[in-house]
Amino acid sequence: MTGFVVRRLLIDLDAPFERHWCGRDAFRTALFNALSMSFPVGEQFFIDSVRRGLESLDPQRRQAFEPDAGGFIGQEATHRRVHALFNAQLERQGLVNDWAPRAAARLKLLEGADPRHWLAITAANEHFTAILAEWLLRNDDVFVGTEPRLRTMWLWHSAEESEHRSTAFELYRALGGDHAWRIRWFRRVTTIFVGDTVRQTVANLRRDGTLWRWRTWRGAAGFLFGRRGLVRQTFAPWRAYFRRDFHPDQLRSDLSSQWLRENAAAWSVAGGPATASSAISATR
Ligand SMILES: [Fe+2]
Ligand SMILES: [Fe+2]
């Protein structure tokens, strides 16, 4: 394991952005806003899962996992900070985050549970973020007409999600996590994630005043089920998780490294594998 670079994104999120920032499309904007609302709570849980998993390993294996775990924690901590700034703008626009408190209450029930449960939940969520990330990197024209800084934010997050897609999965396996529980949690996470995404997207559209517009749902149908639609193109990779011999790296493409290479001016290096242990302790 070689670890991941932790990047600092060089964009300004203090300036407000337009309400329908995603290509002036109400549905796409509401959906991405919903996802962003879930990130700070969710990503803190992923960080805690990986840290707990790491602490449960014997010292020798812990050392081997430390670079990747440190990179994972550093990247997710940066995502949390950036999306908190983005979410603060959404709040100023009058949107209300109902997802975060619901998720926080649910995660409270897991206190004291075996770290493998936490990691199975994290690995399942990481599969969702990785397939969504890969889809965004492949279909970046969804951001046509979007402010460059926001487009950069989403594609940078996507590139890093794709990059660290295997960390939680491998820790789960290193701790003896089995196939049956991996699948059980994946089913539950699918139901919860899809349910929460729909609820928050609809709530965002309602508060935005665009829920009952024909144009909103015509846009949604094309975006989700069109030829290059999100649901249509992510169904097969979603299903791949059920395979007994599944590993997240099987779905890896070079889109992530390509984006990072071509957009090197958008970020600076905040830390690398060498700073893994400081990332592990800094986000406590
Ligand atoms: Fe993330
Ligand atoms: Fe992640």
Side-chain angles (χ1 to χ4, degrees):
M1 289 172 196
T2 51
F4 313 109
V5 172
V6 178
R7 301 170 184 89
R8 186 177 296 118
L9 197 56
L10 306 173
I11 61 166
D12 168 29
L13 281 169
D14 291 330
F17 44 82
E18 63 176 314
R19 229 157 36 101
H20 296 161
W21 59 265
C22 189
R24 304 214 161 78
D25 183 284
F27 178 81
R28 262 185 276 162
T29 301
L31 174 65
F32 287 125
N33 286 348
L35 293 172
S36 180
M37 287 169 169
S38 77
F39 290 155
V41 170
E43 289 175 322
Q44 184 60 53
F45 177 78
F46 307 158
I47 289 170
D48 294 341
S49 302
V50 164
R51 186 181 296 118
R52 281 192 70 205
L54 194 66
E55 285 167 359
S56 308
L57 285 173
D58 58 75
Q60 212 178 355
R61 283 195 308 165
R62 191 181 311 159
Q63 216 179 7
F65 265 96
E66 232 168 55
D68 277 11
F72 177 98
I73 290 169
Q75 289 188 346
E76 293 293 22
T78 317
H79 301 168
R80 285 191 77 232
R81 276 196 293 274
V82 168
H83 280 273
L85 293 173
F86 180 84
N87 293 349
Q89 294 290 352
L90 301 183
E91 218 173 290
R92 273 174 222 131
Q93 291 178 4
L95 297 181
V96 179
N97 189 344
D98 308 307
W99 189 340
R102 204 163 50 234
R106 224 182 271 133
L107 293 173
K108 236 183 158 21
L109 302 174
L110 289 164
E111 269 172 21
D114 187 297
R116 284 173 294 189
H117 288 307
W118 289 41
L119 280 166
I121 294 166
T122 299
N125 276 288
E126 285 286 289
H127 184 59
F128 268 97
T129 50
I131 59 181
L132 179 65
E134 200 75 27
W135 185 86
L136 275 179
L137 289 164
R138 183 162 293 122
N139 297 281
D140 61 353
D141 53 324
V142 300
F143 295 122
V144 166
T146 299
E147 274 191 70
R149 62 183 170 137
L150 301 183
R151 176 192 159 95
T152 299
M153 180 190 81
W154 284 94
L155 294 176
W156 154 80
H157 194 165
S158 297
E160 292 196 346
E161 287 304 325
S162 178
E163 195 173 32
H164 70 226
R165 68 200 307 156
S166 304
T167 307
F169 184 95
E170 288 190 343
L171 255 176
Y172 175 72
R173 286 211 311 203
L175 286 165
D178 67 11
H179 177 76
W181 271 106
R182 176 167 78 76
I183 298 306
R184 215 167 281 156
W185 277 119
F186 186 57
R187 283 189 209 283
R188 286 184 204 172
V189 165
T190 296
T191 310
I192 292 168
F193 179 77
V194 173
D196 277 341
T197 304
V198 170
R199 280 174 78 173
Q200 187 66 56
T201 302
V202 167
N204 289 349
L205 288 169
R206 184 176 292 121
R207 289 187 177 111
D208 179 44
T210 47
L211 179 63
W212 299 110
R213 284 199 194 150
W214 168 243
R215 201 151 51 112
T216 301
W217 294 101
R218 198 181 48 203
F223 179 73
L224 298 173
F225 306 107
R227 199 168 50 83
R228 291 193 293 137
L230 177 65
V231 173
R232 196 186 264 228
Q233 290 200 344
T234 53
F235 181 70
W238 169 80
R239 202 175 44 185
Y241 198 83
F242 288 99
R243 286 202 315 254
R244 196 164 275 280
D245 66 347
F246 173 78
H247 188 285
D249 283 343
Q250 292 160 353
L251 300 178
R252 192 184 288 283
S253 76
D254 58 3
L255 287 170
S256 161
S257 51
Q258 191 186 325
W259 189 90
L260 290 166
R261 215 171 34 243
E262 288 172 0
N263 293 276
W267 48 269
S268 65
V269 176
T275 54
S277 28
S278 56
I280 291 165
S281 48
T283 51
R284 267 178 208 282

